[in-house]
């Protein structure tokens, strides 16, 4: 385990979100809030079959309707190119087929045309007037997967030892299959594009978690130089991964703007959110564990399948955490994909690890029961000294501490393992309690980032980067970092994000935006101070005449001599004003760790989830009562938004375990619960009491402040802990999410295909 060194204390560790006033006052501008002069509205026409081809598309009535400027389709929208292979974090998109590229329909809701009109109502009426005739073909949206359906031979994600032989001879075995359903991202903010082509350049106000990647993809698909595309995303009404990569509506809006010479706004409807902008795919995972009678793992095999679309190869990567979670000499993890008539899946909060840990942490609980061993003790017994998959030491791993701290806070010493043996008291009197625990982990990476810090003559600072704040608190984090480095109050710091005209920034995904931007901002801040020192010591109006930059130091927003005499301290704004210079500007860069050769550490965050459920068999009422979550996420720069991230993730985990599932009609391929009334989400009434603890151990391998992102770690393991608690309360082991009352009453209702 890496040795930790002392880092500067937080100066504003409980700072409220600096962008809060803009949001609560309505002043924050989201993508669909932009209304440009002469703007038109676009409404797509969606296919009403899931497989087949368009034999006729009659747009004559729609095109003649009042206010309609155009109805675009395969025959008249103009050339939209395919993006080339991605390079790093540029050029990435999941649905690679350009919109309207051919007349083949591969999923229900696929865009077949788009109506553009003066008003949204006129565009909607025109879209409804388009008549498409289809030749339907057989569809397949089945949730039952077989290895024979796999597109290719399963990919071997991890392998060590001889797991087949070790499992065959293991004294204690678990061999079970676990399933997670299709889940749909449902942020309150709908996907939207406002595109404006001025005759040479495109400007897009875009719902995106990656402005720089969107710029690259759009430039390629529109066939223009990248400098001719500007993407802006000042604020995002959340994305959960669904807004990481561009979707066809962005290209449609941009191409329509180019064709018509006017700005075009296209907002995806709520039902289109279930069809056209990705989802977490259904997974089917077989987990085999072999152990000695005293609980030592000897074999682990994790084989996963997930569905993808008919054209795109999206792998969920369920075994992301399998290779390093526990010490086991014989391990194999494989993954494969099967095709279905659905839209292309995409990343959803904690892709891979979240559904994968539901399977493996459920299996660990089943193994603990088979061994008659406490589930915490089983995990402690199999704690690895290093990442046995990569044969590298961990940059920081405090999973054991997470288990100990969580057990103490949760009251695990009162745990009795017999099913239904724990009864509530007080307000829980008459209820059966179920307790469950699960480990969690998530990658801790960073990627290349640039930033600019400006010290201005009015005594304020400005930090800018072409990353974005998707609701996770990036504005606040960067304000905090600059405040700490410069010794300035946060109200004298401006943070500018979400614009490709700014220095290159990272994606807001994988929980690595924070770790990526911080090194660049610190580098930029140091360079800005260096520029300030040069200004302070050169020229006829220098504040420190006859001194050199090496004689100076910076602190509390002031420059002073290194001799320690505070009387020499001069506010940096005064130095710039005296020299008649507007600003001292520093550019900074962070190289990032992702894909870097010669890695010396395995980098991850860890945690433990403890869950209590209550079960009332007389009324068949199940409730998640409380959750204690302990997170080893590096140094926590601002606990308030960080805690908010974990709390939101836990609530999302309750939804994953008990409610969320997108259902496709087997006859037509349509998502039948494609609205917020029928797609059940966790509400305030369903949310448990949540206790969040951060261990706050800086990970100095990651960056100078030791900070990692926490956007996804809080969701990992929650569904498994809930399922484990449900078994403890009811004796029913549910391996297919979501957990339904029918499962607990022994009435397995037919699940829709």
């Amino acid at each position: 385990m890496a040795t930790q060194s002392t880092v500067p204390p937080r100066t504003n560790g409980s700072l409220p979100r600096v962008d809060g006033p803009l949001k609560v006052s309505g002043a924050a501008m989201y993508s669909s809030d932009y209304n440009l002069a002469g703007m038109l509205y676009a409404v797509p026409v969606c296919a009403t079959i899931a497989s087949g081809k368009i034999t006729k598309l009659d747009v004559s009535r729609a095109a003649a309707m009042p206010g309609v400027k155009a109805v675009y389709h395969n025959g008249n929208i103009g050339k939209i190119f395919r993006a080339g292979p991605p390079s790093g974090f540029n050029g990435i998109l999941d649905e690679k087929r350009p919109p309207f590229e051919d007349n083949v329909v591969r999923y229900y809701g696929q865009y077949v045309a788009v109506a553009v009109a003066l008003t949204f109502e006129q565009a909607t009426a025109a879209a409804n007037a388009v008549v498409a005739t289809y030749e339907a073909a057989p569809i397949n949206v089945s949730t039952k997967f077989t290895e024979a359906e796999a597109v290719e031979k399963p990919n071997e994600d991890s392998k060590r030892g001889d797991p087949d032989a070790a499992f065959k001879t293991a004294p204690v075995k678990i061999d079970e299959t676990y399933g997670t359903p299709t889940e749909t991202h449902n942020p309150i903010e709908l996907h939207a594009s406002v595109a404006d082509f001025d005759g040479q350049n495109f400007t897009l106000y875009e719902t995106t978690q990656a402005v720089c990647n969107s710029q690259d993809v759009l430039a390629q698909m529109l066939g223009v130089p990248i400098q001719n595309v500007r993407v802006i995303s000042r604020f995002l009404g959340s994305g959960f991964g669904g807004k990481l990569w561009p979707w066809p509506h962005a290209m449609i809006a941009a191409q329509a703007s180019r064709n018509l010479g006017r700005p075009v706004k296209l907002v995806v409807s709520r039902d289109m959110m279930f069809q056209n902008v990705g989802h977490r795919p259904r997974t089917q995972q077989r987990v085999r564990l072999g152990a000695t009678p005293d609980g030592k793992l000897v074999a682990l095999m994790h084989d996963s399948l997930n569905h993808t679309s008919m054209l795109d190869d999206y792998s969920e990567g369920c075994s992301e955490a399998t290779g390093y979670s526990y010490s086991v000499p014989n391990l194999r993890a494989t993954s494969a994909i099967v095709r279905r008539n659905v839209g292309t899946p995409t990343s959803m909060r904690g892709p891979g690890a979240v559904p994968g840990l539901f399977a493996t942490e459920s299996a660990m609980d089943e193994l603990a029961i088979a061994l008659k061993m406490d589930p915490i003790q089983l995990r402690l017994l199999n704690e690895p000294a290093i990442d046995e998959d990569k044969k590298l030491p961990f940059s920081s791993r405090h999973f054991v501490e997470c288990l100990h701290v969580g057990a103490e806070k949760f009251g695990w010493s009162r745990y009795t393992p017999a099913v239904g043996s724990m009864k509530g008291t007080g307000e829980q009197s008459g209820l059966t309690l179920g307790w469950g625990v699960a480990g969690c982990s998530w990658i801790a990476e960073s990627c290349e980032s640039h930033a600019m810090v400006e010290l201005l003559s009015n005594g304020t600072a400005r930090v800018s980067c072409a990353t974005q704040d998707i609701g996770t608190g990036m504005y606040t984090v960067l304000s905090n970092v600059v405040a700490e480095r410069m010794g300035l109050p946060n109200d004298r710091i401006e943070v500018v994000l979400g614009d490709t005209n700014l220095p290159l920034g990272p994606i807001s995904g994988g929980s690595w935006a924070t770790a990526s931007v911080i090194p660049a901002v610190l580098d930029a801040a140091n360079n800005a101070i260096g520029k300030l020192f040069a200004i302070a010591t050169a020229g006829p109006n220098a504040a420190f005449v006859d001194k050199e930059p090496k004689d100076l130091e910076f602190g509390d927003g002031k420059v002073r001599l290194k001799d320690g005499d505070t009387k020499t301290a001069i506010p940096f704004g005064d130095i710039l004003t005296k020299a008649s210079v507007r600003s001292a500007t520093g550019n900074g860069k962070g190289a990032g760790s992702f894909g870097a050769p010669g890695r010396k550490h395995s980098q991850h965050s860890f945690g433990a989830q403890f869950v209590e459920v209550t079960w009332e068999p007389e009324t068949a009422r199940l409730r998640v009562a409380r959750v204690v979550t302990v997170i080893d996420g590096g140094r926590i720069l601002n606990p308030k938004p960080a805690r908010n991230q974990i709390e939101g993730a836990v609530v999302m985990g309750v939804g994953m375990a008990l409610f969320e599932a997108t259902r496709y009609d087997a006859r037509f391929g349509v998502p039948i619960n494609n609205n917020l009334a029928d797609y059940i989400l966790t509400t305030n009434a369903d949310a448990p009491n949540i206790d969040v603890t951060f261990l706050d151990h800086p990970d100095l391998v990651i960056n100078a402040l030791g900070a990692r992102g926490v956007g996804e770690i809080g969701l990992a393991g929650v569904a498994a802990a809930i399922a484990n608690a449900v078994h403890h309360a009811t004796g029913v082991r549910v391996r297919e999410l979501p957990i339904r009352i029918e499962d607990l009453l022994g009435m397995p209702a037919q699940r829709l295909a």
Side-chain angles (χ1 to χ4, degrees):
M1 193 170 295
T3 301
Q4 307 294 354
S5 61
T6 303
V7 297
R10 274 188 298 267
T11 56
N12 292 300
S14 297
L15 180 73
R17 291 175 183 256
V18 298
D19 52 326
L22 291 174
K23 291 181 175 179
V24 300
S25 66
M29 293 286 285
Y30 294 82
S31 295
S32 62
D33 291 335
Y34 288 90
N35 295 303
L36 309 181
M39 189 174 71
L40 304 173
Y41 295 81
V43 173
V45 179
C46 297
T48 55
I49 64 170
S51 179
K53 63 181 180 180
I54 306 166
T55 58
K56 184 180 179 182
L57 195 66
D58 185 354
V59 303
S60 57
R61 178 168 169 262
M65 294 176 74
V68 175
K69 294 299 180 181
V71 180
Y72 292 118
H73 48 80
N74 170 259
N76 66 352
I77 193 169
K79 181 65 175 177
I80 301 178
F81 297 88
R82 282 181 174 260
S87 174
F89 286 97
N90 282 324
I92 303 175
L93 74 168
D94 285 320
E95 185 170 337
K96 298 176 178 60
R97 171 188 176 271
F100 313 144
E101 185 180 51
D102 54 35
N103 288 322
V104 179
V105 176
R106 298 172 179 87
Y107 62 90
Y108 189 97
Q110 176 183 308
Y111 300 140
V112 298
V114 64
V116 187
L118 291 173
T119 69
F120 173 73
E121 292 77 11
Q122 290 171 331
T124 300
N128 290 335
V130 173
V131 178
T133 305
Y134 303 100
E135 181 181 304
I139 69 169
N140 184 359
V141 291
S142 173
T143 59
K144 305 298 181 183
F145 303 160
T146 65
E147 291 183 4
E149 296 180 278
V151 174
E152 296 177 349
K153 182 180 177 181
N155 184 62
E156 197 169 77
D157 302 318
S158 297
K159 174 68 161 58
R160 58 180 179 264
D162 189 345
D164 292 293
F167 180 77
K168 184 177 180 180
T169 59
V172 184
K173 302 175 186 177
I174 296 295
D175 185 351
E176 299 293 352
T177 298
Y178 304 85
T180 62
T182 300
E183 292 180 79
T184 298
H185 315 70
N186 269 298
I188 295 302
E189 182 198 28
L190 300 166
H191 286 248
S193 294
V194 177
D196 186 16
F197 182 67
D198 65 6
Q200 181 176 0
N201 300 307
F202 290 91
T203 299
L204 284 100
Y205 300 92
E206 186 70 22
T207 48
T208 177
Q209 297 173 231
V211 292
C212 293
N213 176 75
S214 289
Q215 178 192 37
D216 186 77
V217 169
L218 286 160
Q220 291 188 58
M221 298 189 77
L222 295 169
V224 298
I226 194 168
Q227 62 267 23
N228 289 29
V229 177
R230 181 185 182 188
V231 177
I232 298 171
S233 182
R234 299 292 191 198
F235 296 94
L236 200 75
S238 196
F240 306 121
K243 295 172 182 172
L244 262 175
W245 319 125
W247 293 100
H249 66 269
M251 274 65 76
I252 292 173
Q255 187 76 339
S257 178
R258 175 159 58 184
N259 290 345
L260 295 169
R262 294 173 66 172
V264 173
K265 177 186 289 190
L266 194 164
V267 180
V268 171
S269 65
R270 182 60 63 181
D271 59 343
M272 292 177 196
M273 297 281 286
F274 286 79
Q275 302 161 177
N276 304 94
V277 288
H279 55 268
R280 194 197 299 278
R282 167 167 171 72
T283 74
Q284 183 175 294
Q285 306 173 60
R286 183 184 180 188
V287 179
R288 284 168 283 182
L289 299 177
T292 62
D294 60 359
K296 190 63 179 171
L297 288 172
V298 295
L300 192 166
M301 288 180 279
H302 184 190
D303 303 303
S304 64
L305 296 167
N306 70 260
H307 80 218
T308 188
S309 61
M310 301 307 290
L311 287 181
D312 298 300
D313 296 345
Y314 178 85
S315 176
E316 178 67 9
C318 291
S319 59
E320 189 278 320
T322 305
Y324 62 81
S325 290
Y326 297 108
S327 177
V328 54
N330 304 287
L331 178 145
R332 183 179 64 241
T334 69
S335 59
I337 56 176
V338 299
R339 299 214 183 278
R340 292 293 185 265
N341 290 109
V342 297
T344 302
T346 193
S347 302
M348 189 174 188
R349 197 173 194 171
V354 165
L357 284 166
F358 165 69
T360 56
E361 288 297 302
S362 293
M364 285 291 284
D365 196 68
E366 296 203 56
L367 179 61
I369 293 169
L371 291 164
K372 296 182 173 54
M373 177 179 287
D374 183 283
I376 294 178
Q377 184 59 35
L378 176 63
R379 289 168 172 83
L380 293 173
L381 182 65
N382 291 284
E383 170 70 1
I386 64 169
D387 181 336
E388 295 177 350
D389 199 40
K390 297 178 180 177
K391 297 179 176 57
L392 291 173
F394 293 103
S395 63
S396 176
R397 177 177 171 122
H398 299 275
F399 179 50
V400 168
E401 186 179 353
C402 290
L403 289 169
H404 285 314
V405 171
E408 178 67 25
K409 293 178 71 70
F410 192 77
W412 193 265
S413 61
R414 304 193 306 274
Y415 173 75
T416 58
V419 169
S421 62
M422 299 184 69
K423 304 298 180 182
T425 59
E427 292 182 356
Q428 295 180 329
S429 181
L431 302 177
T432 299
L433 304 183
W435 284 10
V437 63
C440 63
S441 61
W442 183 248
I443 54 177
E445 292 283 2
S446 60
C447 56
E448 181 181 347
S449 179
H450 297 243
M452 178 187 293
V453 171
E454 299 169 89
L455 297 172
L456 303 174
S457 58
N458 62 4
T460 66
R462 182 179 189 268
V463 55
S464 57
C465 176
T467 189
Q468 47 286 306
D469 190 330
I470 65 172
T472 50
M474 181 60 74
Y475 281 106
T476 307
V477 166
L478 295 192
S479 183
N480 254 11
V481 169
V482 175
E484 184 170 300
R485 179 64 185 90
M486 298 297 186
L488 295 176
N490 291 86
D491 60 6
R492 288 173 57 191
I493 300 167
E494 179 188 12
V495 182
V496 185
L497 305 173
D499 188 338
T500 53
N501 279 0
L502 302 173
L504 175 73
I507 66 171
S508 294
S511 298
W512 51 21
T514 297
S516 301
V517 176
I518 285 173
V521 170
L522 289 175
D523 188 36
N526 291 333
N527 289 335
I529 292 170
K531 291 284 183 66
L532 180 67
F533 288 174
I535 294 169
T537 56
N541 296 321
F544 292 88
V545 181
D546 298 328
K547 299 295 181 182
E548 297 183 20
K550 65 181 179 62
D551 300 323
L552 306 180
E553 61 183 8
F554 189 93
D556 298 323
K558 299 176 181 179
V559 178
R560 58 179 174 265
L561 294 173
K562 286 182 179 179
D563 61 15
D565 184 358
T566 58
K567 295 179 181 179
T568 65
I570 303 175
F572 70 82
D574 293 349
I575 292 173
L576 294 170
T577 299
K578 180 178 175 62
S580 298
V581 175
R582 176 185 174 274
S583 67
T585 299
N587 293 296
K589 177 181 178 181
S593 61
F594 184 77
R599 293 284 288 270
K600 297 180 179 180
H601 295 89
S602 176
Q603 300 172 185
H604 305 274
S605 290
F606 297 92
Q609 311 283 9
F610 291 79
V611 167
E612 177 181 274
V613 302
T614 59
W615 169 240
E616 189 175 47
E618 295 83 359
T619 61
R621 182 173 184 179
L622 176 73
R623 179 179 177 82
V624 179
R626 64 187 178 105
V627 175
V628 170
T629 178
V630 182
I631 301 298
D632 166 30
R635 183 188 185 210
I636 306 302
L637 295 177
N638 194 347
K640 279 190 175 181
R643 182 171 291 106
N644 178 252
Q645 282 295 299
I646 301 300
E647 290 169 342
V650 168
V651 170
M652 195 169 173
V654 174
M656 178 182 180
L658 302 183
F659 304 124
E660 293 194 46
T662 303
R663 307 295 190 186
Y664 294 94
D665 187 306
R667 300 165 299 170
F668 306 111
V670 58
I672 59 176
N673 57 338
N674 58 352
N675 55 78
L676 293 184
D678 297 320
Y679 185 87
I680 308 302
L681 297 162
T682 310
T683 67
N684 285 342
D686 307 304
N689 293 319
I690 304 172
D691 183 322
V692 178
T693 298
F694 293 110
L695 298 185
D696 211 20
H697 294 298
D699 185 347
L700 299 178
V701 171
I702 297 291
N703 55 57
L705 290 184
R708 301 196 294 253
V710 295
E712 283 149 301
I713 182 78
L715 177 56
V718 175
I722 292 173
N724 297 341
V726 166
H727 177 270
H728 182 227
T730 68
V732 178
R733 174 63 64 178
V734 180
R735 303 184 182 94
E736 179 77 32
L737 295 181
I739 300 167
R740 302 164 308 145
I741 295 301
E742 293 89 342
D743 298 321
L744 305 183
L745 295 179
M747 302 187 312
Q750 180 65 38
R751 293 181 183 263
L752 292 177

